Amino acid sequence: MDLPKDIKSGRLFVLSAPSGSGKSTLKDLALQRLPELVYSVSYTTRRPRPGEIDGRDYNFISEERFQAMVDGRDFLEWAGLFGRHYGTGRAWVLERLRQGRDVLADLDVTGAASVRRLMPGATLIFMAPPTVGELRRRLSSRRTESAEEAGRRLTQAREEIARRRIYDYLLINDRLDDSLEQLVAIIKFGRGRPMAEMENFWPAFFADQDQPR
Ligand code: ADP
Ligand code: 5GP
């Protein structure tokens, strides 16, 4: 799956974050800021949230169509999450990379691990809010999930964080404008906080459970 070395190739950047961290917000800002970067619009079988647009945020498809795409090997990677399915269009991504375009994909940890295997040269970025308490607040402020669904996403967040070591960089999304600068620095210059050097961050992250800020 790795691209032949002799062709011009763009770079693949994977951005992962616990749901509610602010990833969509940051991704939209990065795409405005870096016109040469293209976004891989995933396929999903979940329902659109208010304001989401088919073909821009996701390609919203049925479970039947998703399964047909799995059978047709149309996905670079796919994963089952929260009882729904999410997948990355293989042909679209490979074509952009062949054209020399840089591609940003928003994937869960399982998707990031698949990309790491398929394309060892991809850059994997994990984003987190400053504390788990702040993650909870952002999830509830978004008001797009029920309390039960938000709880499932918090449990999922702990599992994702446990698998953080596959990532190259940690991006702490505290102030949005700083986070944008961090993301741009990683994409343009390969400069960021290496995940391997950020182990001291996590005890404080989990220490703040519910305290109001
Ligand atoms: P995700 O795509 O990671 O699930 P969203 O982009 O939908 O998350 O953001 C979740 C909520 O957090 C939204 O209400 C968003 O406005 C808010 N948010 C995003 N980034 C920040 C930030 N740096 N500081 C405070 N709130 C933020
Ligand atoms: P949401 O439902 O909040 O938009 O996304 C839920 C999770 O699905 C997020 O962690 C997001 O990164 C992940 N996701 C979105 N698209 C894909 C995809 O194509 N593949 C994989 N593996 N995960 C995806």
Side-chain angles (χ1 to χ4, degrees):
M1 178 56 62
D2 217 353
L3 289 170
K5 300 283 177 275
D6 56 338
I7 60 166
K8 179 172 88 161
S9 173
R11 292 164 305 159
L12 179 60
F13 295 91
V14 172
L15 182 62
S16 302
S19 181
S21 302
K23 187 172 47 173
S24 322
T25 310
L26 186 63
K27 170 208 91 188
D28 290 345
L29 293 172
L31 291 165
Q32 285 168 25
R33 176 75 173 271
L34 300 170
E36 65 277 16
L37 186 69
V38 289
Y39 179 63
S40 164
V41 178
S42 292
Y43 293 79
T44 184
T45 62
R46 81 153 163 75
R47 303 261 165 279
R49 296 191 186 116
E52 284 185 329
I53 296 175
D54 189 27
R56 183 194 71 179
D57 300 292
Y58 281 103
N59 297 301
F60 294 99
I61 61 174
S62 65
E63 290 289 348
E64 292 71 26
R65 172 132 184 257
F66 194 96
Q67 192 52 52
M69 290 183 71
V70 171
D71 295 343
R73 300 177 53 80
D74 294 336
F75 291 124
L76 186 64
E77 63 70 43
W78 63 271
L81 286 156
F82 315 117
R84 302 289 180 175
H85 289 102
Y86 295 79
T88 305
R90 176 200 299 275
W92 192 93
V93 169
L94 294 185
E95 186 55 29
R96 294 306 170 292
L97 293 175
R98 284 200 186 95
Q99 290 166 355
R101 306 291 304 264
D102 289 342
V103 176
L104 179 66
D106 166 348
L107 308 183
D108 82 315
V109 182
T110 302
S114 302
V115 166
R116 174 59 88 220
R117 267 196 317 278
L118 296 167
M119 298 178 173
T123 300
L124 309 187
I125 305 161
F126 190 86
M127 192 178 97
T131 68
V132 70
E134 175 64 12
L135 175 60
R136 185 173 282 129
R137 281 185 285 277
R138 286 186 196 170
L139 260 180
S140 62
S141 78
R142 193 168 66 182
R143 294 179 188 283
T144 49
E145 281 88 6
S146 63
E148 186 194 357
E149 179 63 29
R152 280 165 74 190
R153 284 171 186 253
L154 280 167
T155 306
Q156 176 87 9
R158 288 181 179 276
E159 289 167 15
E160 289 173 342
I161 291 166
R163 296 169 69 191
R164 63 186 174 271
R165 289 179 188 81
I166 65 166
Y167 291 86
D168 299 299
Y169 295 108
L170 174 65
L171 200 166
I172 301 166
N173 182 19
D174 192 351
R175 285 173 41 101
L176 202 51
D177 46 358
D178 291 344
S179 305
L180 177 61
E181 294 314 318
Q182 285 184 60
L183 184 56
V184 168
I186 292 170
I187 293 173
K188 285 180 79 168
F189 311 115
R191 275 207 311 266
R193 293 183 170 120
M195 180 61 92
E197 295 173 16
M198 293 302 295
E199 282 303 298
N200 287 343
F201 169 72
W202 298 103
F205 176 87
F206 284 116
D208 170 42
Q209 290 290 335
D210 278 317
Q211 295 91 326
R213 285 191 125 193

PDB file of all heavy atoms in Angstrom, residues 98-126:
ATOM      1  N   ARG A  98      -0.934  11.028  -4.999  1.00  0.00           N
ATOM      2  CA  ARG A  98      -0.195  10.891  -6.270  1.00  0.00           C
ATOM      3  C   ARG A  98      -0.063  12.231  -6.968  1.00  0.00           C
ATOM      4  O   ARG A  98       0.903  12.479  -7.665  1.00  0.00           O
ATOM      5  CB  ARG A  98      -0.906   9.922  -7.210  1.00  0.00           C
ATOM      6  CG  ARG A  98      -0.711   8.495  -6.804  1.00  0.00           C
ATOM      7  CD  ARG A  98      -0.982   7.525  -7.940  1.00  0.00           C
ATOM      8  NE  ARG A  98      -0.905   6.181  -7.434  1.00  0.00           N
ATOM      9  CZ  ARG A  98      -1.962   5.474  -7.032  1.00  0.00           C
ATOM     10  NH1 ARG A  98      -3.173   5.960  -7.136  1.00  0.00           N
ATOM     11  NH2 ARG A  98      -1.793   4.282  -6.525  1.00  0.00           N
ATOM     12  N   GLN A  99      -1.089  13.080  -6.797  1.00  0.00           N
ATOM     13  CA  GLN A  99      -1.027  14.416  -7.413  1.00  0.00           C
ATOM     14  C   GLN A  99      -0.084  15.348  -6.648  1.00  0.00           C
ATOM     15  O   GLN A  99       0.087  16.499  -7.018  1.00  0.00           O
ATOM     16  CB  GLN A  99      -2.426  15.048  -7.437  1.00  0.00           C
ATOM     17  CG  GLN A  99      -3.387  14.385  -8.399  1.00  0.00           C
ATOM     18  CD  GLN A  99      -4.835  14.823  -8.148  1.00  0.00           C
ATOM     19  OE1 GLN A  99      -5.135  15.558  -7.199  1.00  0.00           O
ATOM     20  NE2 GLN A  99      -5.734  14.361  -9.006  1.00  0.00           N
ATOM     21  N   GLY A 100       0.459  14.849  -5.530  1.00  0.00           N
ATOM     22  CA  GLY A 100       1.371  15.675  -4.741  1.00  0.00           C
ATOM     23  C   GLY A 100       0.659  16.549  -3.719  1.00  0.00           C
ATOM     24  O   GLY A 100       1.280  17.424  -3.113  1.00  0.00           O
ATOM     25  N   ARG A 101      -0.628  16.300  -3.506  1.00  0.00           N
ATOM     26  CA  ARG A 101      -1.368  17.104  -2.517  1.00  0.00           C
ATOM     27  C   ARG A 101      -1.169  16.517  -1.125  1.00  0.00           C
ATOM     28  O   ARG A 101      -1.102  15.301  -0.963  1.00  0.00           O
ATOM     29  CB  ARG A 101      -2.879  17.080  -2.814  1.00  0.00           C
ATOM     30  CG  ARG A 101      -3.284  17.481  -4.201  1.00  0.00           C
ATOM     31  CD  ARG A 101      -3.053  18.935  -4.487  1.00  0.00           C
ATOM     32  NE  ARG A 101      -3.707  19.862  -3.565  1.00  0.00           N
ATOM     33  CZ  ARG A 101      -4.881  20.438  -3.793  1.00  0.00           C
ATOM     34  NH1 ARG A 101      -5.557  20.169  -4.888  1.00  0.00           N
ATOM     35  NH2 ARG A 101      -5.383  21.309  -2.929  1.00  0.00           N
ATOM     36  N   ASP A 102      -1.130  17.396  -0.116  1.00  0.00           N
ATOM     37  CA  ASP A 102      -1.149  16.941   1.270  1.00  0.00           C
ATOM     38  C   ASP A 102      -2.601  16.699   1.677  1.00  0.00           C
ATOM     39  O   ASP A 102      -3.488  17.490   1.336  1.00  0.00           O
ATOM     40  CB  ASP A 102      -0.527  17.992   2.195  1.00  0.00           C
ATOM     41  CG  ASP A 102       0.976  18.083   2.017  1.00  0.00           C
ATOM     42  OD1 ASP A 102       1.571  17.136   1.457  1.00  0.00           O
ATOM     43  OD2 ASP A 102       1.557  19.093   2.432  1.00  0.00           O
ATOM     44  N   VAL A 103      -2.827  15.610   2.381  1.00  0.00           N
ATOM     45  CA  VAL A 103      -4.191  15.209   2.742  1.00  0.00           C
ATOM     46  C   VAL A 103      -4.309  15.144   4.267  1.00  0.00           C
ATOM     47  O   VAL A 103      -3.431  14.595   4.939  1.00  0.00           O
ATOM     48  CB  VAL A 103      -4.533  13.817   2.142  1.00  0.00           C
ATOM     49  CG1 VAL A 103      -5.912  13.350   2.590  1.00  0.00           C
ATOM     50  CG2 VAL A 103      -4.444  13.847   0.621  1.00  0.00           C
ATOM     51  N   LEU A 104      -5.394  15.707   4.787  1.00  0.00           N
ATOM     52  CA  LEU A 104      -5.690  15.611   6.219  1.00  0.00           C
ATOM     53  C   LEU A 104      -6.874  14.665   6.401  1.00  0.00           C
ATOM     54  O   LEU A 104      -7.907  14.825   5.741  1.00  0.00           O
ATOM     55  CB  LEU A 104      -6.060  16.998   6.761  1.00  0.00           C
ATOM     56  CG  LEU A 104      -6.421  17.074   8.243  1.00  0.00           C
ATOM     57  CD1 LEU A 104      -5.210  16.755   9.125  1.00  0.00           C
ATOM     58  CD2 LEU A 104      -6.963  18.462   8.590  1.00  0.00           C
ATOM     59  N   ALA A 105      -6.702  13.663   7.254  1.00  0.00           N
ATOM     60  CA  ALA A 105      -7.796  12.727   7.537  1.00  0.00           C
ATOM     61  C   ALA A 105      -8.092  12.751   9.029  1.00  0.00           C
ATOM     62  O   ALA A 105      -7.171  12.772   9.854  1.00  0.00           O
ATOM     63  CB  ALA A 105      -7.406  11.311   7.103  1.00  0.00           C
ATOM     64  N   ASP A 106      -9.359  12.764   9.347  1.00  0.00           N
ATOM     65  CA  ASP A 106      -9.818  12.799  10.734  1.00  0.00           C
ATOM     66  C   ASP A 106     -10.255  11.376  11.082  1.00  0.00           C
ATOM     67  O   ASP A 106     -11.298  10.921  10.618  1.00  0.00           O
ATOM     68  CB  ASP A 106     -10.973  13.807  10.785  1.00  0.00           C
ATOM     69  CG  ASP A 106     -11.805  13.743  12.039  1.00  0.00           C
ATOM     70  OD1 ASP A 106     -11.680  12.788  12.832  1.00  0.00           O
ATOM     71  OD2 ASP A 106     -12.622  14.659  12.228  1.00  0.00           O
ATOM     72  N   LEU A 107      -9.410  10.655  11.823  1.00  0.00           N
ATOM     73  CA  LEU A 107      -9.671   9.230  12.069  1.00  0.00           C
ATOM     74  C   LEU A 107      -9.626   8.910  13.551  1.00  0.00           C
ATOM     75  O   LEU A 107      -8.951   9.599  14.314  1.00  0.00           O
ATOM     76  CB  LEU A 107      -8.614   8.356  11.380  1.00  0.00           C
ATOM     77  CG  LEU A 107      -8.354   8.586   9.898  1.00  0.00           C
ATOM     78  CD1 LEU A 107      -7.328   7.582   9.392  1.00  0.00           C
ATOM     79  CD2 LEU A 107      -9.632   8.475   9.090  1.00  0.00           C
ATOM     80  N   ASP A 108     -10.293   7.842  13.929  1.00  0.00           N
ATOM     81  CA  ASP A 108     -10.168   7.367  15.305  1.00  0.00           C
ATOM     82  C   ASP A 108      -8.837   6.618  15.450  1.00  0.00           C
ATOM     83  O   ASP A 108      -8.082   6.483  14.482  1.00  0.00           O
ATOM     84  CB  ASP A 108     -11.367   6.483  15.676  1.00  0.00           C
ATOM     85  CG  ASP A 108     -11.171   5.074  15.178  1.00  0.00           C
ATOM     86  OD1 ASP A 108     -10.753   4.907  14.014  1.00  0.00           O
ATOM     87  OD2 ASP A 108     -11.388   4.136  15.957  1.00  0.00           O
ATOM     88  N   VAL A 109      -8.572   6.120  16.648  1.00  0.00           N
ATOM     89  CA  VAL A 109      -7.272   5.490  16.908  1.00  0.00           C
ATOM     90  C   VAL A 109      -7.076   4.226  16.079  1.00  0.00           C
ATOM     91  O   VAL A 109      -5.970   3.936  15.616  1.00  0.00           O
ATOM     92  CB  VAL A 109      -7.122   5.181  18.418  1.00  0.00           C
ATOM     93  CG1 VAL A 109      -5.772   4.580  18.714  1.00  0.00           C
ATOM     94  CG2 VAL A 109      -7.294   6.445  19.228  1.00  0.00           C
ATOM     95  N   THR A 110      -8.152   3.472  15.888  1.00  0.00           N
ATOM     96  CA  THR A 110      -8.040   2.252  15.077  1.00  0.00           C
ATOM     97  C   THR A 110      -7.664   2.613  13.646  1.00  0.00           C
ATOM     98  O   THR A 110      -6.803   1.970  13.027  1.00  0.00           O
ATOM     99  CB  THR A 110      -9.382   1.487  15.098  1.00  0.00           C
ATOM    100  OG1 THR A 110      -9.681   1.187  16.465  1.00  0.00           O
ATOM    101  CG2 THR A 110      -9.322   0.218  14.296  1.00  0.00           C
ATOM    102  N   GLY A 111      -8.294   3.665  13.118  1.00  0.00           N
ATOM    103  CA  GLY A 111      -7.978   4.125  11.766  1.00  0.00           C
ATOM    104  C   GLY A 111      -6.537   4.607  11.675  1.00  0.00           C
ATOM    105  O   GLY A 111      -5.823   4.321  10.710  1.00  0.00           O
ATOM    106  N   ALA A 112      -6.090   5.335  12.707  1.00  0.00           N
ATOM    107  CA  ALA A 112      -4.711   5.835  12.716  1.00  0.00           C
ATOM    108  C   ALA A 112      -3.727   4.664  12.730  1.00  0.00           C
ATOM    109  O   ALA A 112      -2.715   4.681  12.032  1.00  0.00           O
ATOM    110  CB  ALA A 112      -4.497   6.736  13.933  1.00  0.00           C
ATOM    111  N   ALA A 113      -4.055   3.619  13.508  1.00  0.00           N
ATOM    112  CA  ALA A 113      -3.160   2.451  13.574  1.00  0.00           C
ATOM    113  C   ALA A 113      -3.105   1.750  12.212  1.00  0.00           C
ATOM    114  O   ALA A 113      -2.036   1.303  11.779  1.00  0.00           O
ATOM    115  CB  ALA A 113      -3.638   1.492  14.661  1.00  0.00           C
ATOM    116  N   SER A 114      -4.235   1.697  11.509  1.00  0.00           N
ATOM    117  CA  SER A 114      -4.236   1.088  10.168  1.00  0.00           C
ATOM    118  C   SER A 114      -3.367   1.892   9.223  1.00  0.00           C
ATOM    119  O   SER A 114      -2.590   1.336   8.447  1.00  0.00           O
ATOM    120  CB  SER A 114      -5.659   1.030   9.595  1.00  0.00           C
ATOM    121  OG  SER A 114      -6.501   0.311  10.441  1.00  0.00           O
ATOM    122  N   VAL A 115      -3.498   3.221   9.289  1.00  0.00           N
ATOM    123  CA  VAL A 115      -2.692   4.079   8.412  1.00  0.00           C
ATOM    124  C   VAL A 115      -1.208   3.888   8.725  1.00  0.00           C
ATOM    125  O   VAL A 115      -0.373   3.823   7.828  1.00  0.00           O
ATOM    126  CB  VAL A 115      -3.123   5.553   8.557  1.00  0.00           C
ATOM    127  CG1 VAL A 115      -2.100   6.488   7.926  1.00  0.00           C
ATOM    128  CG2 VAL A 115      -4.495   5.761   7.917  1.00  0.00           C
ATOM    129  N   ARG A 116      -0.872   3.794  10.000  1.00  0.00           N
ATOM    130  CA  ARG A 116       0.534   3.601  10.388  1.00  0.00           C
ATOM    131  C   ARG A 116       1.098   2.338   9.722  1.00  0.00           C
ATOM    132  O   ARG A 116       2.223   2.326   9.241  1.00  0.00           O
ATOM    133  CB  ARG A 116       0.626   3.518  11.921  1.00  0.00           C
ATOM    134  CG  ARG A 116       1.963   3.192  12.454  1.00  0.00           C
ATOM    135  CD  ARG A 116       3.036   4.207  12.039  1.00  0.00           C
ATOM    136  NE  ARG A 116       3.156   5.329  12.927  1.00  0.00           N
ATOM    137  CZ  ARG A 116       3.358   6.595  12.526  1.00  0.00           C
ATOM    138  NH1 ARG A 116       3.444   6.885  11.243  1.00  0.00           N
ATOM    139  NH2 ARG A 116       3.470   7.574  13.383  1.00  0.00           N
ATOM    140  N   ARG A 117       0.277   1.276   9.685  1.00  0.00           N
ATOM    141  CA  ARG A 117       0.728   0.026   9.057  1.00  0.00           C
ATOM    142  C   ARG A 117       0.847   0.172   7.536  1.00  0.00           C
ATOM    143  O   ARG A 117       1.795  -0.287   6.931  1.00  0.00           O
ATOM    144  CB  ARG A 117      -0.299  -1.083   9.338  1.00  0.00           C
ATOM    145  CG  ARG A 117      -0.011  -1.924  10.548  1.00  0.00           C
ATOM    146  CD  ARG A 117      -0.816  -3.208  10.533  1.00  0.00           C
ATOM    147  NE  ARG A 117      -2.213  -3.046  10.132  1.00  0.00           N
ATOM    148  CZ  ARG A 117      -3.198  -2.646  10.943  1.00  0.00           C
ATOM    149  NH1 ARG A 117      -2.941  -2.361  12.203  1.00  0.00           N
ATOM    150  NH2 ARG A 117      -4.429  -2.552  10.495  1.00  0.00           N
ATOM    151  N   LEU A 118      -0.173   0.825   6.926  1.00  0.00           N
ATOM    152  CA  LEU A 118      -0.229   0.898   5.464  1.00  0.00           C
ATOM    153  C   LEU A 118       0.752   1.914   4.907  1.00  0.00           C
ATOM    154  O   LEU A 118       1.283   1.736   3.813  1.00  0.00           O
ATOM    155  CB  LEU A 118      -1.647   1.309   5.024  1.00  0.00           C
ATOM    156  CG  LEU A 118      -2.764   0.348   5.362  1.00  0.00           C
ATOM    157  CD1 LEU A 118      -4.116   1.007   5.168  1.00  0.00           C
ATOM    158  CD2 LEU A 118      -2.663  -0.882   4.466  1.00  0.00           C
ATOM    159  N   MET A 119       0.912   3.009   5.614  1.00  0.00           N
ATOM    160  CA  MET A 119       1.754   4.115   5.134  1.00  0.00           C
ATOM    161  C   MET A 119       2.637   4.596   6.277  1.00  0.00           C
ATOM    162  O   MET A 119       2.304   5.561   6.965  1.00  0.00           O
ATOM    163  CB  MET A 119       0.868   5.273   4.673  1.00  0.00           C
ATOM    164  CG  MET A 119      -0.028   4.915   3.533  1.00  0.00           C
ATOM    165  SD  MET A 119      -1.046   6.340   3.144  1.00  0.00           S
ATOM    166  CE  MET A 119      -1.834   5.747   1.676  1.00  0.00           C
ATOM    167  N   PRO A 120       3.746   3.946   6.476  1.00  0.00           N
ATOM    168  CA  PRO A 120       4.590   4.282   7.637  1.00  0.00           C
ATOM    169  C   PRO A 120       5.040   5.739   7.644  1.00  0.00           C
ATOM    170  O   PRO A 120       5.356   6.285   8.699  1.00  0.00           O
ATOM    171  CB  PRO A 120       5.785   3.333   7.490  1.00  0.00           C
ATOM    172  CG  PRO A 120       5.339   2.256   6.566  1.00  0.00           C
ATOM    173  CD  PRO A 120       4.282   2.816   5.691  1.00  0.00           C
ATOM    174  N   GLY A 121       5.052   6.380   6.486  1.00  0.00           N
ATOM    175  CA  GLY A 121       5.512   7.776   6.420  1.00  0.00           C
ATOM    176  C   GLY A 121       4.450   8.793   6.799  1.00  0.00           C
ATOM    177  O   GLY A 121       4.731   9.996   6.844  1.00  0.00           O
ATOM    178  N   ALA A 122       3.230   8.354   7.075  1.00  0.00           N
ATOM    179  CA  ALA A 122       2.174   9.304   7.442  1.00  0.00           C
ATOM    180  C   ALA A 122       2.499   9.949   8.795  1.00  0.00           C
ATOM    181  O   ALA A 122       3.203   9.356   9.621  1.00  0.00           O
ATOM    182  CB  ALA A 122       0.834   8.578   7.528  1.00  0.00           C
ATOM    183  N   THR A 123       1.992  11.145   9.008  1.00  0.00           N
ATOM    184  CA  THR A 123       2.193  11.845  10.282  1.00  0.00           C
ATOM    185  C   THR A 123       0.919  11.726  11.107  1.00  0.00           C
ATOM    186  O   THR A 123      -0.158  12.119  10.648  1.00  0.00           O
ATOM    187  CB  THR A 123       2.507  13.331  10.017  1.00  0.00           C
ATOM    188  OG1 THR A 123       3.695  13.407   9.238  1.00  0.00           O
ATOM    189  CG2 THR A 123       2.711  14.093  11.325  1.00  0.00           C
ATOM    190  N   LEU A 124       1.053  11.200  12.304  1.00  0.00           N
ATOM    191  CA  LEU A 124      -0.125  10.977  13.157  1.00  0.00           C
ATOM    192  C   LEU A 124      -0.133  11.984  14.310  1.00  0.00           C
ATOM    193  O   LEU A 124       0.836  12.062  15.071  1.00  0.00           O
ATOM    194  CB  LEU A 124      -0.132   9.551  13.732  1.00  0.00           C
ATOM    195  CG  LEU A 124       0.060   8.383  12.759  1.00  0.00           C
ATOM    196  CD1 LEU A 124      -0.137   7.054  13.487  1.00  0.00           C
ATOM    197  CD2 LEU A 124      -0.894   8.471  11.587  1.00  0.00           C
ATOM    198  N   ILE A 125      -1.218  12.711  14.422  1.00  0.00           N
ATOM    199  CA  ILE A 125      -1.324  13.775  15.441  1.00  0.00           C
ATOM    200  C   ILE A 125      -2.508  13.450  16.357  1.00  0.00           C
ATOM    201  O   ILE A 125      -3.615  13.190  15.869  1.00  0.00           O
ATOM    202  CB  ILE A 125      -1.592  15.133  14.764  1.00  0.00           C
ATOM    203  CG1 ILE A 125      -0.525  15.433  13.706  1.00  0.00           C
ATOM    204  CG2 ILE A 125      -1.659  16.260  15.812  1.00  0.00           C
ATOM    205  CD1 ILE A 125      -0.957  16.488  12.686  1.00  0.00           C
ATOM    206  N   PHE A 126      -2.251  13.472  17.648  1.00  0.00           N
ATOM    207  CA  PHE A 126      -3.328  13.240  18.621  1.00  0.00           C
ATOM    208  C   PHE A 126      -3.606  14.548  19.336  1.00  0.00           C
ATOM    209  O   PHE A 126      -2.704  15.184  19.865  1.00  0.00           O
ATOM    210  CB  PHE A 126      -2.896  12.183  19.642  1.00  0.00           C
ATOM    211  CG  PHE A 126      -4.022  11.700  20.526  1.00  0.00           C
ATOM    212  CD1 PHE A 126      -4.856  10.671  20.111  1.00  0.00           C
ATOM    213  CD2 PHE A 126      -4.247  12.271  21.774  1.00  0.00           C
ATOM    214  CE1 PHE A 126      -5.894  10.219  20.928  1.00  0.00           C
ATOM    215  CE2 PHE A 126      -5.287  11.831  22.593  1.00  0.00           C
ATOM    216  CZ  PHE A 126      -6.101  10.797  22.157  1.00  0.00           C
TER     217      PHE A 126
END
